[in-house]
C-alpha cells in the first residue's frame, strides 16, 4: 500500500509506458518499460480502459489503475505517457510534449494517423531517442529530430521539385570540384 | 515500390492501415531479400519497420524464426544507409530477448560506437549494452569510459543511461566508472548532467557519507538541468528522512530554496517533497502551500492537477494549512477535468466548515458517475474522514454512501464504501441499524466474495446485539441458499452467533443449521455440524470459546506446530497452548488514511514480526529447549542517538525464560569489535544462564548478541512485576584502517555502560482480541476473581487513564472500550490477554472521574497467581 509519508527511492526510471492509440482505441504504438503489465493481454486491457476513460475528454491528465496518465489527442491520434502515481506529473508532461512536438516536426505539422503510419520508422526512432528503458533520454524536440536524422532524400525522387533536384546536383558538383 | 503500392491501397479505403493485415510468415518470407546483393535500403527498411511493428503489436515470434530473421538482418550492416542502420539497432534491441546468439553483432556495434558517425554512436552504445553481459562488459569497458566523457551529448547520455541499466547486473564493473560519471556531471548539457547525477547516486546510495558530499557539492555549485534539480531534491529528502535530519539542516534549506526556482517542474518537486516529509510543521509547510496555491490557477491542467492532488495530501494532516487556498479550490470544483474537480472537492471537504458539507456533497453527486474508480475511492475516503470530524452528519453521509453502493464500480471502490460504512457504525452506535440495513441490502446482490464474507462476519458480531436480531436472519440464510462456498460457510458462522446469543432464536437457528448440514460443500457441512453440536449443549462457556471468540493463535505458528507434531508421533494429545499466539496487528483507523494511489502489488500475507524472531531464535542451538516464543517486545533504545555504539534491545519472553536480544551497531570506522556481549546484572531471583556473543562487529554492520535469563519459578508475584537490569557491553577492540577495514592483529578489552533495561508486566502478557468480551468473561468464570480499587491522582482525564492502563498492562482493549465517549464522567475498559504459560487473563476496569481518576479493577483468570501478579503490578 502507498502510505502517506513514504519517501521514495530517488530514481531516473520515470516513464512506465508510452502509447499511441487511434480513434478506435487500437494500438498503433506501445512501449512498456517495466513489468506493471507483463502480458500482451493485460496491456491491451489497460489500453482499452485508458481509451474509454480519456477519449471523450480533452483533459490532459488522469489517474488510472493507480498510475498517472498524461495524454493529448490530435485529429485521430491519442498520445499517452504513463508513470507511477508518485511521479512528478510535469516530468511526464515534458516527455509527452517532446514526443508530440518531435513528431509534429517530422510529419511537417501533419500529425494524423495516416501520416504517422507512413512514417512508422521515424516514430520508432524518435521514441527510442526520447525514452530509454524508462529513463528520459532527451526532452528537447529539436535534438530528437536532429538525432533521428531522417534524410531529406527520403522523399522519393519523383516528388522532389525540379529546383530541389538542381540544387542537390549543384551541391554535388561543387563538392566534387573542391575535393 | 512497396510504399507506392501501400499508398494506392490506402486511397481505396480511407483510414486503412498499411500494416493492418500483416502476416508474420509473409513478412519473414520477405525478409529473405536481406540476403540479396546489392542491398536495397528502402525495401529492407520497410521490412524492418514491419517486423518491429509486429513485435510492437504483441505478435509472438518463435526462437527459430526470430533467430533466422536476426541473422539475415546482420547483413544489413554492410549498407551505409543511416536510417536503415538505425532501424537495425532497434531490431537488435527488440529481438535481444527472443533471438539466440545476438552477441554476434558485438563487433559491428563496437565499431559504430567508436566510429566517426555521431548519429550512430549513441544508439549503437545503447544497443550494445542491451546485448552485453557482465563478462563481455569488461571487454568494452575502455570504450564505455571514453563514451561517458565524450563531448557529444547524445553519446555521453547514452553511455550514462546504459551504465545505469547495467548497475543491476554488473555493479562491480560499473562502479569503476565513477570518476568518468563525476566528470560528466559537470557537463554543460542538461540531459548529460541529469543522467550523470542519476548514475552517481545509484553507485553511491549505500554510502551515506558519499551521498552527503555529492549533495553538498551540487547544491553549492548549482545545476542547469531542471531534471537534475528534481533528482537532487529527491536525494536530499531521502537523506533527510534516513538521518532524521531536523528541518534546520542545510538540506531542508536547499529544498526550500528550490521553491524559488524559475522552472515549474522544480518548484513543484520541491513543494511535493516538503509536503511528504514526516513531522513537518504548519510553518514549514506554508511556503510550499503558497506555491501550490499559485499553480491552482495555472492554465495547464497537469499543473493544476499536481497542485490540487498535493494540497489534498496536505489537508489530510494539516487541514488548517490549506484553508488559505479554499477560494482557489472553490474555483476548481467546476473544472472540466473531473479528476481535478474531485480532488478540489475532497480537499474542501477536509478543510471546509460543517455548514458547507451539504453543498459540496450535492455538487459531487452530480458527477460522481463520470469519474474513475480511483477518484471514487478518494471521495469515499474524504467522506470517511468527514464522518469522524462531524459525527452529526452521519445520516447525510450514510445516505450518500448507500447510493454509491448501488452504483456500478470495481472491487476497490466497493470495499472502500463498505469499510467506510463499517467505521461509521463502529463510531456511532445510533447509526448501527441503518448501516447494517444498507449492508444487508448490498450483499443481496454482491459479486465480491471477500466483501460478502466480511459483511456476514460483521452481521454475526453486531446483529445479535441489536433490538431486533430476527430481521437479519433472512438476509443471512438467503446467502446459504444462493452463494458460493466461501460465502455459505461465512453465513453459517454468522447464523451460529445468533443462535448462541439469543435463546428465543435458537430453535429456528437449529432448524436452519440442520438444512445446512445437507450442503454440497465440505467446509459448510463441517461448520454446520460443529455449530449444531455446540449449540445443542446450551452452555455459555462453550458458546464463548467456540462460537464468539475463535482461535487466538498465530496461523503460521499453528501450521508449524502441527507439522512438528505429525513428525514426532507421541501418545500425548496436541497441546494448543504450545502454539505461539497471534500478535494483534495495531490498527489505527483514525490516522491511517490510505492515499489515492493504491499500489498494484498484491498484498502478500507477510509473516508477522514475531514469526520472524521465532525463526531467528530457533536457529541458535542454545535456545532450542525453550519452547515456543511467547512474546517479543518493541525495540528499546539503550544508548543515546549519535554515540560511538548504538544498542537496541528486544525482549523475548518464553514460558520460563527470557532472551534479551541486543542489536548493536558500531559507528566508528576505525574500530573492529569482537566477542561482543552485554553483561546484565539482575536483581533478586533472576539468574543469567548464558551469554551468546556477537563474534565480529565491523563498522556500520549491525550484529546481535543474546543474553539468556531464567525466570524465577516459585514465587512469581512480586519479583517479576517490575525489575531493572543494569547492562554493560563488553568487547575486544581492534583498531583498523578506516579505508580498507583491515584490522590490527592485537586488540584490547574494553567496556561501555548502557542504560538500564526494565522488564515490566507487559512483557509477560500477550495481547489477544476477544470479539465478544462478555462471553469470554463468563467463560473464564469467577473462580479466581479479585477486585481492588485504586486512585490515580496524577491523571486528569479518562482518555489519559485508559491510555496509561493499556500501555502499562500491555493488554488488548476489547469492544472498542479504548475509546472514551466525549463528556462522560465514567467509563468501563475491557482488556484481554494471555499470560506467559498460556493462561487467559481478563481485566475489567471501571473508571470514574472526580478530582483525579478512581479505578476499580476486576481481574479474572484461570490461574490464581496470574491474578495476583496483575493486581500487584497495578498497585
Amino acid at each position: 500500500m502507498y502510505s502517506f509519508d513514504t519517501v521514495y527511492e530517488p530514481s531516473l526510471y520515470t516513464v512506465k509506458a508510452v502509447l499511441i492509440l487511434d480513434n478506435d482505441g487500437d494500438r498503433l504504438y506501445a512501449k512498456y518499460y517495466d513489468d506493471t503489465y507483463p502480458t500482451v493481454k493485460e496491456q491491451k486491457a489497460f489500453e482499452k480502459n485508458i481509451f474509454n476513460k480519456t477519449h471523450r475528454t480533452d483533459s490532459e491528465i488522469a489517474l488510472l489503475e493507480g498510475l498517472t496518465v498524461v495524454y493529448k489527442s490530435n485529429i485521430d491520434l491519442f498520445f499517452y505517457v504513463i508513470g507511477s502515481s508518485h511521479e512528478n506529473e510535469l516530468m511526464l508532461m515534458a516527455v509527452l510534449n517532446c514526443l508530440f512536438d518531435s513528431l509534429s516536426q517530422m510529419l511537417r505539422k501533419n500529425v494524423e494517423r495516416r501520416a504517422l503510419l507512413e512514417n512508422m520508422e521515424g516514430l520508432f526512432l524518435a521514441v527510442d531517442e526520447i525514452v530509454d528503458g524508462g529513463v528520459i533520454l532527451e526532452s528537447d524536440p529539436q535534438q530528437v529530430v536532429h538525432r533521428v536524422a531522417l534524410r531529406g532524400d527520403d522523399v522519393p525522387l519523383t516528388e522532389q521539385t525540379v529546383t530541389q533536384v538542381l540544387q542537390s546536383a549543384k551541391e554535388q558538383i561543387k563538392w566534387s570540384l573542391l575535393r | 515500390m512497396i510504399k507506392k503500392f501501400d499508398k494506392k491501397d490506402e486511397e481505396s479505403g480511407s483510414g486503412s492501415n498499411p500494416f493492418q493485415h500483416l502476416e508474420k510468415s509473409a513478412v519473414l518470407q520477405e525478409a529473405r531479400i536481406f540476403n540479396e546483393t546489392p542491398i536495397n535500403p528502402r525495401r529492407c527498411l520497410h521490412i524492418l519497420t514491419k517486423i518491429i511493428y509486429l513485435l510492437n503489436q504483441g505478435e509472438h515470434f518463435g526462437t527459430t524464426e526470430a533467430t533466422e530473421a536476426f541473422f539475415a538482418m546482420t547483413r544489413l550492416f554492410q549498407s551505409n544507409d543511416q536510417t536503415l542502420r538505425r532501424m537495425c539497432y532497434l531490431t537488435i534491441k527488440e529481438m535481444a530477448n527472443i533471438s539466440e546468439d545476438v552477441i554476434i553483432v558485438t563487433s559491428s556495434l563496437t565499431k559504430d560506437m567508436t566510429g566517426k558517425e555521431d548519429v550512430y554512436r549513441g544508439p549503437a552504445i545503447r544497443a550494445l549494452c542491451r546485448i552485453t553481459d557482465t563478462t563481455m562488459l569488461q571487454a568494452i569497458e575502455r570504450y564505455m569510459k571514453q563514451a561517458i566523457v565524450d563531448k557529444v551529448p547524445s553519446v555521453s547520455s547514452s553511455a550514462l543511461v546504459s551504465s545505469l541499466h547495467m548497475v543491476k547486473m554488473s555493479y562491480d564493473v560499473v562502479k569503476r566508472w565513477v570518476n568518468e560519471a563525476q566528470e560528466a556531471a559537470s557537463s554543460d548539457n542538461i540531459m548529460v548532467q541529469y543522467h550523470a547525477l542519476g548514475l552517481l547516486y545509484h553507485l553511491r546510495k549505500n554510502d551515506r557519507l558519499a551521498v552527503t558530499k555529492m549533495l553538498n557539492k551540487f547544491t553549492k555549485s548549482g545545476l542547469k538541468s531542471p531534471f537534475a534539480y528534481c533528482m537532487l531534491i529527491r536525494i536530499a529528502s531521502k537523506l533527510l528522512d534516513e538521518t532524521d535530519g531536523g528541518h534546520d539542516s542545510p538540506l531542508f534549506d536547499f529544498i526550500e530554496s528550490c521553491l524559488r526556482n524559475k522552472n515549474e517542474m522544480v518548484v513543484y518537486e520541491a513543494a511535493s517533497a516538503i509536503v511528504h516529509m514526516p513531522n513537518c510543521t504548519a510553518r514549514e509547510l506554508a511556503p510550499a502551500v503558497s506555491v501550490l496555491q499559485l499553480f491552482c490557477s495555472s492554465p495547464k491542467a497537469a499543473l493544476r492537477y499536481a497542485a490540487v492532488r498535493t494540497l489534498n495530501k496536505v489537508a489530510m494532516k494539516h487541514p488548517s494549512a490549506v484553508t488559505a487556498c479554499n477560494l482557489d479550490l472553490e474555483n476548481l470544483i467546476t473544472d472540466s477535468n473531473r479528476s481535478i474537480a474531485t480532488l478540489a472537492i475532497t480537499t474542501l471537504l477536509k478543510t471546509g466548515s460543517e455548514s458547507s458539507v451539504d453543498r459540496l456533497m450535492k455538487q459531487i453527486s452530480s458527477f460522481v458517475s463520470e469519474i474513475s474508480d480511483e477518484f471514487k475511492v478518494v471521495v469515499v475516503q474524504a467522506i470517511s474522514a468527514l464522518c469522524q470530524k462531524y459525527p452529526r452528519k452521519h445520516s447525510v453521509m450514510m445516505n450518500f454512501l448507500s447510493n454509491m453502493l448501488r452504483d456500478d464500480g470495481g472491487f476497490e471502490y466497493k470495499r472502500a464504501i463498505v469499510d467506510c460504512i463499517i467505521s461509521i457504525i463502529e463510531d456511532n452506535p445510533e447509526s448501527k441499524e441503518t448501516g447494517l440495513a444498507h449492508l444487508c441490502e448490498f450483499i443481496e446482490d454482491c459479486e465480491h466474495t471477500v466483501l460478502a464474507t466480511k459483511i456476514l462476519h460483521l452481521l454475526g458480531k453486531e446483529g445479535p446485539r441489536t433490538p431486533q436480531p430476527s430481521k437479519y436472519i433472512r438476509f443471512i440464510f438467503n446467502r446459504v441458499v444462493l452463494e458460493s462456498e466461501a460465502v455459505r460457510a461465512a453465513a453459517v458462522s454468522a447464523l451460529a452467533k445468533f443462535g448462541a446469543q439469543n435463546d428465543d432464536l435458537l430453535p429456528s437457528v437449529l432448524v436452519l443449521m440442520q438444512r445446512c448440514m445437507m450442503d454440497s460443500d465440505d467446509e459448510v457441512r463441517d461448520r454446520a455440524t460443529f455449530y449444531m453440536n455446540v449449540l445443542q449443549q446450551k452452555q455459555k462457556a462453550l458458546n464463548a470459546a467456540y462460537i464468539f471468540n475463535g482461535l487466538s493463535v498465530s496461523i503460521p505458528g499453528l501450521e508449524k506446530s502441527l507439522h512438528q507434531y505429525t513428525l514426532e508421533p507421541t501418545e500425548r494429545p496436541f497441546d494448543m497452548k504450545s502454539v505461539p499466539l497471534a500478535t494483534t496487528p495495531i490498527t489505527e483507523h483514525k490516522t491511517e488514511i490510505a492515499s489515492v494511489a493504491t499500489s498494484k502489488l498484491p498484498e502478500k500475507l507477510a509473516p508477522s514480526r514475531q514469526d520472524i524472531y521465532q525463526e531467528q531464535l530457533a536457529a541458535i542451538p542454545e535456545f532450542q529447549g525453550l519452547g515456543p516464543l511467547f512474546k517479543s517486545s518493541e525495540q528499546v533504545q539503550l544508548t543515546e542517538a549519535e554515540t560511538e555504539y548504538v544498542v537496541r534491545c528486544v525482549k523475548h519472553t518464553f514460558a520460563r525464560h527470557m532472551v534479551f536480544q541486543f542489536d548493536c551497531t558500531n559507528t566508528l570506522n576505525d574500530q573492529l569489535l569482537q566477542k561482543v556481549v552485554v553483561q546484565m546484572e539482575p536483581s533478586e531471583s533472576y539468574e543469567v544462564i548464558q551469554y551468546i556473543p556477537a563474534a565480529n562487529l565491523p563498522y556500520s554492520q549491525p550484529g546481535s548478541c543474546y543474553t539468556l535469563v531464567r525466570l524465577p519459578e516459585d514465587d512469581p508475584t512480586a519479583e517479576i512485576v517490575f525489575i531493572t537490569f543494569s547492562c554493560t557491553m563488553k568487547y575486544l577492540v581492534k583498531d583498523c584502517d578506516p579505508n580498507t577495514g583491515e584490522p590490527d592483529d592485537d586488540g584490547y578489552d574494553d567496556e561501555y555502560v548502557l542504560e538500564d533495561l526494565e522488564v515490566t508486566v507487559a512483557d509477560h502478557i500477550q495481547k489477544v482480541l476477544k470479539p465478544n468480551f462478555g462471553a469470554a468473561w463468563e467463560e473464564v468464570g469467577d473462580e479466581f476473581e479479585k477486585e481492588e480499587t485504586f486512585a490515580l491522582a496524577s491523571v486528569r482525564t479518562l482518555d489519559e487513564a485508559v491510555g496509561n492502563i493499556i500501555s502499562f498492562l500491555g493488554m488488548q482493549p476489547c469492544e472498542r472500550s479504548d475509546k472514551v465517549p466525549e463528556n462522560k464522567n465514567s467509563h468501563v475498559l475491557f482488556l484481554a490477554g494471555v499470560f506467559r504459560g498460556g493462561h487467559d487473563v481478563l481485566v475489567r476496569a471501571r473508571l470514574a472521574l472526580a478530582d483525579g481518576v478512581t479505578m476499580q479493577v476486576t481481574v479474572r483468570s484461570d490461574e490464581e497467581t496470574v491474578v495476583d501478579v496483575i493486581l500487584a503490578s497495578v498497585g
Side-chain angles (χ1 to χ4, degrees):
Chain A
M1 283 293 283
Y2 177 101
S3 84
F4 182 72
D5 278 330
T6 319
V7 174
Y8 291 93
E9 182 61 41
S11 161
L12 294 192
Y13 293 91
T14 307
V15 182
K16 280 179 174 286
V18 174
L19 307 176
I20 302 175
L21 307 179
D22 67 9
N23 57 356
D24 297 321
D26 288 329
R27 175 194 283 192
L28 291 178
Y29 180 82
K31 186 98 190 141
Y32 289 80
Y33 296 102
D34 65 9
D35 288 336
T36 317
Y37 298 97
T39 65
V40 178
K41 205 176 147 201
E42 287 165 277
Q43 293 175 357
K44 295 260 162 114
F46 173 65
E47 284 158 31
K48 196 167 165 230
N49 184 15
I50 255 192
F51 184 74
N52 286 338
K53 289 275 161 48
T54 55
H55 78 284
R56 262 174 275 116
T57 58
D58 51 351
S59 25
E60 190 172 308
I61 185 159
L63 186 70
L64 278 168
E65 306 190 13
L67 302 171
T68 298
V69 179
V70 295
Y71 57 101
K72 191 178 192 113
S73 64
N74 197 56
I75 309 177
D76 48 4
L77 290 174
F78 291 82
F79 297 84
Y80 301 89
V81 173
I82 292 135
S84 113
S85 63
H86 57 257
E87 192 46 73
N88 187 328
E89 288 85 349
L90 302 183
M91 276 200 185
L92 298 174
M93 213 57 208
V95 175
L96 180 68
N97 287 335
C98 174
L99 172 66
F100 187 85
D101 295 344
S102 309
L103 287 176
S104 178
Q105 275 193 44
M106 287 159 57
L107 303 175
R108 300 188 184 84
K109 303 235 187 260
N110 205 6
V111 185
E112 42 130 4
R113 180 169 173 274
R114 196 165 135 182
L116 185 73
L117 282 169
E118 279 171 27
N119 285 285
M120 279 312 260
E121 66 274 12
L123 167 68
F124 292 145
L125 294 175
V127 179
D128 185 56
E129 289 295 343
I130 299 171
V131 185
D132 185 75
V135 178
I136 305 175
L137 195 62
E138 182 54 68
S139 63
D140 177 5
Q142 298 300 338
Q143 284 296 326
V144 173
V145 175
H146 170 73
R147 287 184 201 165
V148 168
L150 284 181
R151 294 148 307 149
D153 65 0
D154 224 19
V155 190
L157 205 59
T158 47
E159 287 174 26
Q160 286 183 10
T161 60
V162 182
T163 31
Q164 272 175 334
V165 175
L166 281 175
Q167 182 69 29
S168 69
K170 242 191 231 165
E171 289 282 309
Q172 278 178 18
I173 293 164
K174 201 160 79 187
W175 278 110
S176 56
L177 286 174
L178 278 171
R179 222 174 265 164
Chain B
M1 272 208 164
I2 289 180
K3 264 214 166 154
K4 278 225 167 136
F5 180 71
D6 284 339
K7 258 186 199 146
K8 240 181 249 161
D9 222 7
E10 255 170 73
E11 275 147 14
S12 57
S14 75
S16 79
N17 179 344
F19 297 100
Q20 197 159 36
H21 300 294
L22 282 188
E23 278 283 334
K24 180 179 68 176
S25 50
V27 174
L28 290 174
Q29 193 78 29
E30 280 185 281
R32 294 206 176 149
I33 68 151
F34 292 169
N35 291 320
E36 281 172 18
T37 347
I39 293 165
N40 179 337
R42 186 156 293 129
R43 280 191 70 186
C44 293
L45 175 63
H46 196 64
I47 292 163
L48 278 185
T49 309
K50 283 178 177 176
I51 291 176
I52 295 180
Y53 182 85
L54 283 175
L55 284 166
N56 201 271
Q57 289 292 320
E59 186 87 34
H60 175 75
F61 279 65
T63 313
T64 327
E65 55 191 4
T67 312
E68 205 169 294
F70 186 86
F71 273 72
M73 182 276 297
T74 57
R75 256 204 90 235
L76 302 181
F77 272 91
Q78 290 172 12
S79 161
N80 280 325
D81 183 290
Q82 279 195 0
T83 316
L84 183 61
R85 181 71 60 87
R86 298 285 312 278
M87 287 302 277
C88 286
Y89 301 148
L90 274 191
T91 317
I92 292 168
K93 290 205 278 190
E94 295 287 337
M95 286 199 163
N97 284 338
I98 38 179
S99 163
E100 285 173 340
D101 300 327
V102 284
I103 51 164
I104 58 149
V105 288
T106 305
S107 62
S108 310
L109 288 173
T110 319
K111 205 172 118 219
D112 282 355
M113 88 177 253
T114 50
K116 285 198 187 70
E117 199 77 73
D118 283 347
V119 188
Y120 289 161
R121 291 171 61 205
I125 291 170
R126 284 181 273 136
L128 180 60
C129 289
R130 182 77 181 72
I131 59 167
T132 299
D133 60 21
T134 309
T135 44
M136 285 181 18
L137 188 59
Q138 314 220 358
I140 57 163
E141 184 171 0
R142 189 163 55 95
Y143 303 123
M144 285 302 289
K145 281 181 165 180
Q146 281 168 4
I148 289 175
V149 293
D150 198 282
K151 61 182 190 309
V152 180
S154 71
V155 176
S156 177
S157 272
S158 293
L160 286 163
V161 173
S162 301
S163 312
L164 181 68
H165 295 324
M166 289 199 296
V167 167
K168 286 179 222 115
M169 183 180 78
S170 333
Y171 177 80
D172 290 326
V173 182
V174 180
K175 200 176 61 183
R176 297 199 291 254
W177 309 346
V178 78
N179 288 336
E180 283 74 14
Q182 187 84 49
E183 192 180 329
S186 45
S187 158
D188 280 341
N189 182 283
I190 59 168
M191 292 319 283
V192 173
Q193 198 172 58
Y194 171 57
H195 297 138
L197 179 65
L199 180 62
L200 281 174
Y201 175 71
H202 276 272
L203 291 176
R204 290 172 171 173
K205 64 182 168 188
N206 294 323
D207 182 353
R208 198 175 287 165
L209 197 69
V211 174
T212 315
K213 268 189 197 154
M214 183 171 93
L215 273 175
N216 280 342
K217 177 168 177 252
F218 288 120
T219 52
K220 285 216 183 69
S221 62
L223 295 160
K224 275 187 169 176
S225 156
F227 291 104
Y229 258 112
C230 289
M231 184 69 186
L232 213 51
I233 291 171
R234 289 178 198 187
I235 299 172
S237 69
K238 176 89 183 162
L239 197 67
L240 268 176
D241 182 60
E242 281 175 353
T243 53
D244 297 321
H247 294 162
D248 47 355
S249 110
L251 290 177
F252 187 83
D253 293 343
F254 162 70
I255 297 177
E256 201 173 28
S257 75
C258 290
L259 290 173
R260 294 181 292 277
N261 193 294
K262 51 184 187 300
N263 192 303
E264 283 167 344
M265 188 195 290
V266 179
V267 176
Y268 170 63
E269 185 73 42
S272 163
I274 292 176
V275 166
H276 282 93
M277 268 175 213
N279 325 318
C280 228
T281 62
R283 204 174 55 83
E284 286 158 345
L285 280 173
V289 169
S290 57
V291 300
L292 293 171
Q293 184 177 8
L294 279 180
F295 288 166
C296 280
S297 44
S298 159
K300 294 178 195 160
L303 196 52
R304 289 199 304 276
Y305 171 91
V308 69
R309 198 160 103 92
T310 315
L311 284 174
N312 193 352
K313 281 180 191 157
V314 181
M316 285 180 192
K317 279 185 134 186
H318 303 278
S320 55
V322 188
T323 39
C325 312
N326 276 3
L327 212 61
D328 307 77
L329 290 169
E330 288 276 354
N331 290 331
L332 293 180
I333 60 180
T334 48
D335 199 299
S336 65
N337 183 325
R338 290 310 190 197
S339 307
I340 295 176
T342 314
L343 285 165
I345 291 181
T346 51
T347 313
L348 283 170
L349 283 175
K350 287 176 197 125
T351 61
S353 62
E354 191 164 0
S355 56
S356 61
V357 168
D358 289 314
R359 184 173 57 89
L360 292 169
M361 295 296 280
K362 193 171 270 171
Q363 178 83 33
I364 204 166
S365 42
S366 67
F367 64 78
V368 75
S369 58
E370 292 174 41
I371 56 181
S372 69
D373 267 15
E374 272 85 356
F375 280 105
K376 288 180 181 169
V377 174
V378 177
V379 173
V380 174
Q381 282 165 351
I383 293 173
S384 178
L386 208 57
C387 289
Q388 281 160 15
K389 203 163 141 200
Y390 306 120
R392 280 185 296 148
K393 288 278 171 203
H394 69 80
S395 59
V396 184
M397 305 294 172
M398 196 63 107
N399 241 330
F400 186 77
L401 286 172
S402 69
N403 285 332
M404 287 175 96
L405 206 49
R406 278 185 213 114
D407 287 346
D408 290 334
F411 171 67
E412 286 298 332
Y413 171 47
K414 297 282 174 173
R415 185 171 73 174
I417 303 177
V418 169
D419 285 348
C420 182
I421 292 183
I422 292 176
S423 76
I424 296 179
I425 291 175
E426 286 176 342
D427 287 342
N428 305 284
E430 63 266 43
S431 68
K432 189 189 275 181
E433 287 200 52
T434 36
L436 288 180
H438 288 314
L439 293 176
C440 281
E441 188 193 323
F442 173 61
I443 54 169
E444 285 287 285
D445 182 24
C446 169
E447 59 194 308
H448 308 294
T449 310
V450 182
L451 292 182
T453 50
K454 187 169 185 169
I455 293 171
L456 283 168
H457 180 75
L458 180 80
L459 284 176
K461 202 170 124 218
E462 300 290 344
R465 289 187 270 181
T466 54
Q468 261 191 305
S470 59
K471 68 176 173 192
Y472 300 108
I473 301 278
R474 178 173 65 88
F475 290 105
I476 298 175
F477 192 67
N478 278 348
R479 305 278 69 71
V480 178
V481 185
L482 299 167
E483 299 279 354
S484 65
E485 295 81 7
V487 182
R488 294 208 300 271
V492 168
S493 301
L495 270 184
K497 286 180 186 154
F498 280 82
Q501 182 96 12
N502 305 91
D503 291 337
D504 47 333
L505 286 178
L506 183 60
S508 344
V509 168
L510 286 175
V511 172
L512 296 176
M513 279 293 171
Q514 201 96 47
R515 285 190 57 184
C516 298
M517 284 162 68
M518 253 91 84
D519 198 281
S520 58
D521 181 68
D522 291 351
E523 173 72 20
V524 181
R525 269 201 316 277
D526 287 354
R527 284 197 193 192
T529 315
F530 174 72
Y531 288 130
M532 183 86 185
N533 284 306
V534 175
L535 287 173
Q536 278 169 342
Q537 306 299 317
K538 295 188 181 160
Q539 286 181 27
K540 281 251 150 61
L542 285 180
N543 285 350
Y546 296 113
I547 297 183
F548 295 124
N549 300 323
L551 287 175
S552 54
V553 293
S554 116
I555 301 296
L558 178 61
E559 191 185 347
K560 222 174 282 167
S561 304
L562 284 172
H563 181 64
Q564 197 65 34
Y565 184 74
T566 52
L567 290 182
E568 300 163 5
T570 60
E571 293 296 302
R572 285 185 299 114
F574 181 71
D575 181 11
M576 207 58 179
K577 284 186 177 166
S578 67
V579 183
L581 293 167
T583 38
T584 27
I586 304 146
T587 43
E588 284 181 36
H589 270 291
K590 307 268 172 186
T591 49
E592 178 200 36
I593 305 166
S595 153
V596 195
T598 45
S599 77
K600 284 180 53 76
L601 295 172
E603 287 172 45
K604 272 187 211 137
L605 187 68
S608 72
R609 195 171 139 269
Q610 183 157 349
D611 290 330
I612 297 168
Y613 281 131
Q614 167 97 40
E615 283 288 275
Q616 287 173 357
L617 293 177
I620 299 170
E622 284 84 349
F623 298 151
Q624 277 183 349
L626 302 183
L629 176 60
F630 178 74
K631 182 178 184 171
S632 298
S633 72
E634 295 296 314
Q635 278 194 341
V636 186
Q637 196 87 29
L638 293 184
T639 48
E640 306 267 327
E642 312 289 319
T643 43
E644 298 96 306
Y645 314 112
V646 178
V647 180
R648 297 189 185 91
C649 177
V650 182
K651 298 172 272 185
H652 302 288
T653 313
F654 290 84
R656 285 190 199 81
H657 301 84
M658 283 190 90
V659 170
F660 298 91
Q661 174 183 341
F662 297 94
D663 296 327
C664 317
T665 312
N666 169 10
T667 62
L668 299 178
N669 64 358
D670 55 357
Q671 282 191 359
L672 169 74
L673 305 191
Q674 287 184 325
K675 298 182 196 153
V676 184
V677 292
V678 174
Q679 191 163 25
M680 301 178 75
E681 293 294 335
S683 44
E684 289 131 50
S685 48
Y686 278 70
E687 182 195 347
V688 176
I689 303 179
Q690 201 166 16
Y691 292 109
I692 293 152
N696 278 311
L697 203 60
Y699 165 60
S700 87
Q701 285 179 22
S704 297
C705 63
Y706 301 89
T707 305
L708 175 63
V709 166
R710 192 195 340 259
L711 296 174
E713 275 187 45
D714 34 2
D715 173 33
T717 40
E719 282 81 3
I720 68 161
V721 168
F722 193 86
I723 197 161
T724 308
F725 290 91
S726 48
C727 304
T728 314
M729 182 159 83
K730 301 200 168 177
Y731 44 83
L732 180 72
V733 185
K734 283 186 180 170
D735 292 327
C736 59
D737 186 323
N739 295 321
T740 60
E742 205 52 51
D744 291 350
D745 291 336
D746 302 321
Y748 52 93
D749 286 319
D750 199 356
E751 57 180 57
Y752 189 80
V753 178
L754 303 173
E755 284 175 30
D756 288 351
L757 181 67
E758 288 172 346
V759 174
T760 66
V761 66
D763 292 320
H764 299 272
I765 298 179
Q766 180 66 276
K767 292 180 177 191
V768 169
L769 181 67
K770 299 278 184 196
N772 190 327
F773 187 82
W777 186 254
E778 294 306 321
E779 181 198 347
V780 172
D782 55 4
E783 197 184 344
F784 299 115
E785 178 179 298
K786 284 195 184 169
E787 194 167 87
E788 240 175 278
T789 307
F790 304 92
L792 311 173
S794 59
V795 183
R796 291 279 147 240
T797 65
L798 288 178
D799 259 333
E800 196 186 341
V802 166
N804 285 352
I805 299 168
I806 294 172
S807 68
F808 180 75
L809 289 177
M811 293 172 74
Q812 176 69 30
C814 298
E815 312 275 335
R816 299 178 70 81
S817 62
D818 53 331
K819 305 235 159 51
V820 182
E822 278 173 56
N823 305 325
K824 285 271 185 69
N825 286 328
S826 62
H827 183 68
V828 187
L829 173 66
F830 301 113
L831 296 172
V834 171
F835 196 80
R836 174 168 64 78
H839 306 292
D840 267 332
V841 49
L842 301 173
V843 170
R844 185 183 64 197
R846 293 177 202 271
L847 303 162
L849 182 69
D851 270 341
V853 174
T854 318
M855 169 173 77
Q856 184 192 42
V857 182
T858 316
V859 188
R860 285 184 175 188
S861 172
D862 50 9
E863 174 74 37
E864 191 171 7
T865 48
V866 176
V867 176
D868 292 336
V869 166
I870 303 268
L871 281 178
S873 69
V874 177

